[in-house]
Amino acid sequence: MADPRSERLTAEERDIFRRLIGIMIPADPEMALPSADDPLILEDCIATLGRDSAAIRILLADLKRFGFPDLPADQAEAKAMALLGENRTEVQALSRVVVAAYYRDDRVMLAYGREPRAPFPKGHVLPQGDWALLDSVKQKDPFWRDDRGA
């Protein structure tokens, strides 16, 4: 049997995946944000499944078993939201893949007023915070092991 990470999603898995991520991150026309099942974002998600593909396939198989592909929209959304609320490794893998692909999309970054580029080499300017919040941490005894003299 081939390594599941190297296998492409079947057409059925792809349809379930598309429906699931569309529910996970719906479009917001008011902010001009696409949904996660937008063709460009969907393709990015699928292309970058990598090490998470086996976990995501487990989720897709679970959804298939529950009849997710044939559920009416409101029932599919309820089932998807219940699944996404579970503390499972597979859900974490799905979230990692979908959120990363979503925020790589230039349209999403522009909708949030961010320049669609990598953070480096230019970096991003962050507002200065209250450094006094770190005073209690600075006063603590060191908690690391000093191996310099060993």
Side-chain angles (χ1 to χ4, degrees):
M1 181 174 170
D3 181 353
R5 292 172 296 177
S6 66
E7 295 176 17
R8 298 190 57 79
L9 294 180
T10 66
E12 184 177 37
E13 287 172 328
R14 186 184 175 92
D15 288 343
I16 295 169
F17 185 74
R18 181 183 43 73
R19 189 173 196 195
L20 176 62
I21 68 173
I23 293 168
M24 186 177 174
I25 304 177
D28 184 345
E30 194 173 296
M31 285 190 63
L33 286 167
S35 64
D37 68 347
D38 173 89
L40 293 174
I41 297 170
L42 173 64
E43 290 306 317
D44 190 7
C45 288
I46 291 172
T48 57
L49 289 175
R51 67 183 177 114
D52 294 318
S53 93
I56 290 170
R57 291 182 106 144
I58 291 169
L59 269 186
L60 300 177
D62 288 350
L63 286 169
K64 180 182 174 187
R65 242 186 328 278
F66 293 127
F68 182 76
D70 302 318
L71 291 175
D74 59 335
Q75 291 177 20
E77 182 175 354
K79 182 64 189 163
M81 296 310 287
L83 178 79
L84 294 170
E86 293 177 9
N87 186 20
R88 294 175 53 181
T89 303
E90 296 87 3
V91 173
Q92 293 168 359
L94 174 72
S95 298
R96 190 170 37 247
V97 167
V98 175
V99 169
Y102 191 75
Y103 287 101
R104 273 193 300 266
D105 189 271
D106 288 355
R107 296 166 297 169
V108 173
M109 297 305 289
L110 289 168
Y112 283 112
R114 303 300 303 223
E115 186 180 351
R117 63 170 175 83
F120 299 102
K122 289 173 150 183
H124 287 293
V125 176
L126 297 174
Q128 283 297 319
D130 182 2
W131 287 94
L133 295 172
L134 292 175
D135 288 345
S136 64
V137 176
K138 291 178 189 176
Q139 293 170 3
K140 289 185 176 185
D141 291 331
F143 57 87
W144 59 86
R145 185 176 68 212
D146 186 2
D147 288 339
R148 289 178 290 174

